[in-house]
Amino acid sequence: MSNFWKGRKVLVTGHTGFKGSWLSVWLHSLGAEVTGYALAPAHEASLFARCEGESWMKSVISDIRDYPALARTVREAQPEVVIHMAAQPLVRHSYRAPVHTYEVNVMGTVHVLEAVREAALDGASIRAVLNVTTDKCYENREWPWGYRENDALGGYDPYSNSKACSELVTSAYRSSYFNPAHYERHGVGVATARAGNVIGGGDLSEDRLLPDCVRALQGNQKLRIRSPYATRPWQHVLEPLHGYILLAQKLVERGPAGAGAWNFGPDEESVRNVEWVAAKVGELWGNPSFHERDDQAHPHEAADLKLDSSKARRELGWRPRWKVERALEKTIEWFQELAKGTPAKALCLRQIDEYGRDG
């Protein structure tokens, strides 16, 4: 990455969320001029608030569904790179609020791409658009092998399906307005990135295993875990973010070569079931008996899911650096160090540095 990001203007939607906060901190540390567009943080103790993001980046608090506000922000920010992360990201919430989920995840994507299209027509300097979706966008057949970028899209629940729709929207805009075959006319590379089940310090989301574990442990409570045998491709949040940064750079430098869909998943040995992860968290925290199984019926969630990231390895030189054990160790370390008084942004920067040195 070297000096590529120094002084480069980047617009990040969803910057007040967990992944968006980590990405904004990382890009800022690389010298980028970061503008964020998102709703206000969901919690007073959110990672964005703890990192005092308002003091070192331009933060626009608005709704991705508000097209005029978004288009105005794109024009004013004049980004060279747009990374779209704003989303309704929770499977269980999507069952309760499907209309909201589709409005945010599908029309939000339309709004971002349309704002970019209009700005490009006016001569804007946008060179790269990266839409971050999810590993759950695939038609999950519970295969024992990883999904590849050319496998069928689908999605059982409203969240997963809305992200598949977001992929299709991006594909249509790429074909219609940012076709790689006519790159010399528009100069914009458009890609999507698929990852999932990221963990890391500062995540306060509801209905996610690691935040639920941390809340239970901090409150000295018993946690009932659902779907204990469901397997997931667990990875530290820095893993896919590193992939997004590499991919965005490739889109700027080589345009058509970076266009399309990309998987960023962990190695096979980091695919573990929910109960194993909970047990490991308890061991690292020093309270191994804090959880028990929840055998009640819950809305459907995929039992088995993993990605084939051969394309990213081959064409971007990206590879996972932290196996699941180290990812969990760094996550618990982050929360415990925060409790001791270490500033959140300093913790993020320390772990970003450690991740870089492990490369």
Side-chain angles (χ1 to χ4, degrees):
M1 288 178 278
S2 61
N3 293 320
F4 172 84
W5 292 98
K6 190 172 181 61
R8 204 170 294 272
K9 294 181 178 180
V10 184
L11 174 64
V12 177
T13 72
H15 69 291
T16 59
F18 167 57
K19 288 176 71 176
S21 296
W22 271 96
L23 179 63
S24 297
V25 168
W26 198 346
L27 289 171
H28 181 259
S29 74
L30 294 172
E33 297 180 18
V34 185
T35 298
Y37 182 99
L39 296 175
H43 305 277
E44 291 183 2
S46 71
L47 180 59
F48 181 75
R50 288 188 181 279
C51 288
E52 301 178 322
E54 297 276 1
S55 68
W56 47 264
M57 65 177 288
K58 181 177 181 181
S59 175
V60 178
I61 300 301
S62 191
D63 198 315
I64 199 70
R65 295 173 295 175
D66 185 344
Y67 179 72
L70 176 62
R72 182 170 59 252
T73 299
V74 171
R75 290 195 303 270
E76 292 175 353
Q78 298 184 336
E80 190 171 354
V81 176
V82 176
I83 302 178
H84 175 43
M85 302 180 75
Q88 189 300 95
L90 301 174
V91 171
R92 284 161 65 86
H93 180 76
S94 77
Y95 279 110
R96 299 189 294 268
V99 174
H100 174 255
T101 299
Y102 281 102
E103 285 177 343
V104 173
N105 294 351
V106 183
M107 288 309 300
T109 300
V110 172
H111 288 169
V112 169
L113 292 168
E114 182 63 12
V116 169
R117 185 182 76 86
E118 285 196 341
L121 289 173
D122 291 337
S125 59
I126 298 172
R127 300 287 306 284
V129 180
L130 176 57
N131 177 23
V132 175
T133 62
T134 176
D135 56 357
K136 296 177 180 65
C137 69
Y138 291 104
E139 180 182 343
N140 193 346
R141 301 178 182 178
E142 310 288 349
W143 283 335
W145 52 83
Y147 289 88
R148 296 167 296 179
E149 288 86 351
N150 58 354
D151 281 325
L153 300 175
Y156 181 100
D157 55 86
Y159 165 73
S160 304
N161 183 260
S162 72
K163 284 298 195 174
C165 292
S166 178
E167 287 275 352
L168 292 172
V169 166
T170 307
S171 178
Y173 263 81
R174 182 170 50 241
S175 298
S176 300
Y177 307 113
F178 306 113
N179 196 308
H182 307 297
Y183 180 73
E184 69 282 355
R185 298 180 190 173
H186 53 77
V188 182
V190 178
T192 59
R194 303 165 181 173
N197 288 90
V198 296
I199 60 178
D203 190 1
L204 300 178
S205 302
E206 297 179 2
D207 288 330
R208 281 185 179 160
L209 180 60
L210 264 293
D212 286 347
C213 287
V214 171
R215 278 189 286 268
L217 288 161
Q218 289 176 333
N220 197 27
Q221 299 171 342
K222 201 79 168 179
L223 176 68
R224 302 187 70 194
I225 58 171
R226 64 182 189 273
S227 305
Y229 302 116
T231 64
R232 295 289 184 271
W234 308 95
Q235 59 186 162
H236 194 274
V237 64
L238 292 178
E239 300 280 22
L241 295 186
H242 182 219
Y244 305 164
I245 289 171
L246 291 174
L247 177 53
Q249 180 173 341
K250 186 181 183 74
L251 286 168
V252 171
E253 294 179 335
R254 300 187 60 196
W262 298 78
N263 286 340
F264 297 99
D267 290 328
E268 179 75 23
E269 55 265 38
S270 290
V271 178
R272 301 296 182 95
N273 69 40
V274 169
E275 188 169 44
W276 183 93
V277 171
K280 188 66 177 178
V281 169
E283 175 189 322
L284 290 167
W285 197 278
N287 184 359
S289 60
F290 83 102
H291 65 91
E292 62 186 13
R293 296 176 188 170
D294 180 355
D295 295 323
Q296 297 181 16
H298 294 280
H300 174 273
E301 295 185 58
D304 296 289
L305 180 62
K306 53 188 173 182
L307 297 176
D308 181 334
S309 304
S310 302
K311 178 181 175 183
R313 290 171 178 268
R314 182 179 64 251
E315 299 184 31
L316 296 177
W318 175 89
R319 62 173 181 81
R321 296 180 180 180
W322 288 354
K323 297 188 186 302
V324 63
E325 292 86 354
R326 183 152 173 78
L328 289 168
E329 175 190 324
K330 302 312 292 184
T331 299
I332 299 307
E333 175 187 292
W334 194 101
F335 280 106
Q336 292 182 332
E337 286 294 314
L338 182 74
K340 294 176 182 177
T342 307
K345 187 180 179 185
L347 286 170
C348 292
L349 290 172
R350 181 197 302 173
Q351 293 195 350
I352 289 169
D353 182 64
E354 290 172 350
Y355 180 84
R357 286 188 276 109
D358 285 345

